[in-house]
Amino acid sequence: MRKIAIYGKGGIGKSTTTSNLTAALIEKGYKVMQIGCDPKADSTTNLLSGESLITVLDAIKEKGGDVELEDIVKIGYKGALCVEAGGPTPGIGCAGRGIITAFEKLEELDAYNIYKPDIIIYDVLGDVVCGGFAMPIRGGYANDVFIVSSGEMMALYAASNISSAIKNFGTRGYAKLGGIILNSRNVEDEENIVNKAAEEIGTKVVKKIPRDGHVQLAEQQGKTVVEAYPESEMAKHYLELAELILEGTRDEEE
């Protein structure tokens, strides 16, 4: 089983990239579980035809100790296993703590052994790398981390913070940084800016994803580009990304 965390600043296109990556990996024959770790709980929407699903935190609030896997894991595009950790009521509680609670519930219900995914992808907000949001890095959940960024200053600032968090746990055998996924915003000299930033934090750009209108058109249908426009150039970019991610990660047993 490969366990991958995708981090990035809010609004950078992290969830779009992640859900298209999940769809692309499924097209390659893998069974994938995507776990959204953002209080907005919209990571898996485009794998579920635009539908939202009950979050782990909301299910716990409603059912307490009676939560079952079927309550929190929904089957999406071609068998995609979709989970949303969720977040607390705004102004009350800690979103990071919510992620920890969600992970503990999935383990308690033996989700990974029951569904047996080939790949687990954690889609994690990277603006704040506090204890809860760092959970996939430090808790032994993810083996590999990739950061979605653009050439914009705040996106690169978040990438630097995430890289620092990974390095802080690096000596403990936790997740390693696999590289940056450049989600292009057509910033002037963007590719050079991001390549330079990657070099400064000791990593590389894995793949450049160009800006393309098919993304918005697909999302208007509640779908990934891979599903809505499988013959498009953009779908090919996500399939290439999937191949590069597979090359840059290893099964847990290896």
Side-chain angles (χ1 to χ4, degrees), residues 48 51 62 73 77 86 110 130 191 225 234 241 250 254:
L48 294 165
E51 295 180 20
E62 287 182 17
V73 181
Y77 176 68
D110 206 23
C130 66
E191 202 160 350
V225 175
M234 199 60 177
L241 174 62
R250 295 186 305 164
E254 293 178 10

Side-chain angles (χ1 to χ4, degrees), residues 12 50 61 103 108 126 131 171 179 187 194 210 238 246:
I12 200 61
K61 285 178 192 172
F103 284 13
E108 177 191 322
T171 57
V187 174
V194 178
Y238 288 121
L246 289 170

Side-chain angles (χ1 to χ4, degrees), residues 8-129:
K9 179 187 174 297
I12 200 61
K14 169 184 51 64
S15 294
T16 296
T17 302
T18 304
S19 57
N20 274 283
L21 172 60
T22 291
L25 288 166
I26 288 169
E27 290 296 337
K28 291 180 178 292
Y30 291 89
K31 187 176 185 180
V32 185
M33 174 179 279
Q34 181 170 319
I35 303 175
C37 303
D38 186 320
K40 295 196 307 295
D42 60 355
S43 171
T44 59
T45 302
N46 292 327
L47 295 167
L48 294 165
S49 300
E51 295 180 20
S52 57
L53 72 164
I54 186 169
T55 69
V56 178
L57 286 189
D58 283 345
I60 292 170
K61 285 178 192 172
E62 287 182 17
K63 294 195 167 188
D66 297 326
V67 174
E68 299 179 358
L69 275 179
E70 292 74 16
D71 297 322
I72 57 175
V73 181
K74 192 165 184 178
I75 309 300
Y77 176 68
K78 292 190 176 180
L81 300 163
C82 301
V83 181
E84 295 284 355
T89 303
I92 304 171
C94 168
R97 179 62 212 170
I99 293 170
I100 296 170
T101 301
F103 284 13
E104 287 173 348
K105 179 57 69 174
L106 288 167
E107 287 188 327
E108 177 191 322
L109 296 173
D110 206 23
Y112 310 121
N113 287 324
I114 289 171
Y115 287 107
K116 292 182 168 57
D118 302 309
I119 302 170
I120 300 172
I121 301 180
Y122 302 95
D123 175 9
V124 196
L125 184 67
D127 294 75
V128 181
V129 197

